[in-house]
Amino acid sequence: EAQVTQNPRYLITVTGKKLTVTCSQNMNHEYMSWYRQDPGLGLRQIYYSMNVEVTDKGDVPEGYKVSRKEKRNFPLILESPSPNQTSLYFCASSFPGANGYTFGSGTRLTVV
Amino acid sequence: QKEVEQNSGPLSVPEGAIASLNCTYSDRGSQSFFWYRQYSGKSPELIMFIYSNGDKEDGRFTAQLNKASQYVSLLIRDSQPSDSATYLCAVKGAGGTSYGKLTFGQGTILTVHP
């Protein structure tokens, strides 16, 4: 089944403890992206990647890192999480020029 | 001005009525426009996309695009309680660093009551 898989689905962590949210797609998509979703603000892009080893900042990149060492994987790294990073995170992928994205199931992160 | 704007609602319509959802965008060079449906706690699901001015119909859904007015809308005919969800308008960047990027509006909450 074609899909984007995110892990974990839920995570509660403490301020400053490094964490990684994994994202993997099995559709051979070149384009991958991370979004966060907050009430009243919609989906905002954190980082995106056009292909392996090609990444760039989105609209809200502060406090996040990404890497794209393999085409299928695009992990999101929070080196020192803070409470304002409490949010619902989505990974998405597509072919360039495709009709929209395929989204993962989401990761609900709480930083206390 | 936000790049993509939607009325946050909530929009409440009776079962069987037409629900009309609206979206405006600021980048005049945008070429591709999308409507996603998102149920509470779930991921966004693509329901319509449109590239050309005019109407595009798919079942009970009609997307309308007016590039001169920078306006996109979604009509849902014969609304059902199962249509109750948040509807997200998204606009795709035309090129350069925006190529492939979807910019989303804040979403409109739709409630269809029996």
Side-chain angles (χ1 to χ4, degrees):
Chain A
E1 179 188 355
Q3 59 185 358
V4 177
T5 303
Q6 286 181 235
N7 280 298
R9 289 292 309 277
Y10 302 92
L11 179 60
I12 300 175
T13 190
V14 297
T15 298
K17 184 177 181 181
K18 181 179 177 180
L19 66 91
T20 299
V21 183
T22 63
C23 174
S24 181
Q25 51 91 7
N26 62 1
M27 296 165 283
N28 204 35
H29 286 166
E30 285 89 358
Y31 190 92
M32 298 186 75
S33 183
W34 277 103
Y35 285 83
R36 61 178 289 175
Q37 187 173 35
D38 303 288
L41 297 177
L43 285 155
R44 295 180 292 167
Q45 191 181 52
I46 303 170
Y47 268 94
Y48 66 95
S49 170
M50 300 288 280
N51 213 324
V52 175
E53 303 291 3
V54 181
T55 64
D56 208 347
K57 297 177 181 178
D59 299 316
V60 288
E62 296 78 18
Y64 304 94
K65 287 176 54 178
V66 294
S67 68
R68 187 93 181 270
K69 292 182 169 46
E70 304 167 281
K71 197 171 189 179
R72 63 184 292 126
N73 296 324
F74 191 44
L76 179 69
I77 302 157
L78 285 74
E79 294 268 2
S80 182
S82 63
N84 65 10
Q85 292 177 298
T86 292
S87 188
L88 179 59
Y89 291 85
F90 288 103
C91 180
S93 72
S94 76
F95 289 116
N99 298 330
Y101 294 165
T102 301
F103 280 88
S105 299
T107 296
R108 186 167 292 280
L109 173 66
T110 302
V111 183
V112 298
Chain B
Q1 182 191 3
K2 291 182 183 177
E3 292 184 54
V4 181
E5 286 207 62
Q6 298 178 249
N7 290 328
S8 58
L11 174 65
S12 182
V13 301
E15 185 174 357
I18 296 175
S20 177
L21 304 159
N22 305 315
C23 172
T24 59
Y25 60 95
S26 60
D27 183 359
R28 195 169 277 280
S30 300
Q31 297 294 319
S32 309
F33 308 88
F34 304 85
W35 283 99
Y36 283 82
R37 178 176 63 200
Q38 186 178 26
Y39 293 113
S40 182
K42 301 295 185 182
S43 57
E45 169 194 12
L46 180 67
I47 54 173
M48 290 286 289
F49 61 89
I50 186 167
Y51 302 142
S52 304
N53 277 329
D55 295 0
K56 179 182 178 182
E57 188 174 316
D58 184 1
R60 296 186 295 113
F61 299 98
T62 300
Q64 299 174 316
L65 174 61
N66 183 326
K67 289 185 178 180
S69 300
Q70 296 175 244
Y71 177 88
V72 192
S73 66
L74 179 70
L75 301 178
I76 306 174
R77 291 182 300 281
D78 188 24
S79 295
Q80 301 296 311
S82 59
D83 294 326
S84 299
T86 297
Y87 289 81
L88 301 165
C89 173
V91 177
K92 195 170 196 178
T97 57
S98 296
Y99 182 70
K101 175 183 178 181
L102 282 186
T103 299
F104 287 84
Q106 70 270 41
T108 299
I109 299 171
L110 172 67
T111 301
V112 181
H113 53 87

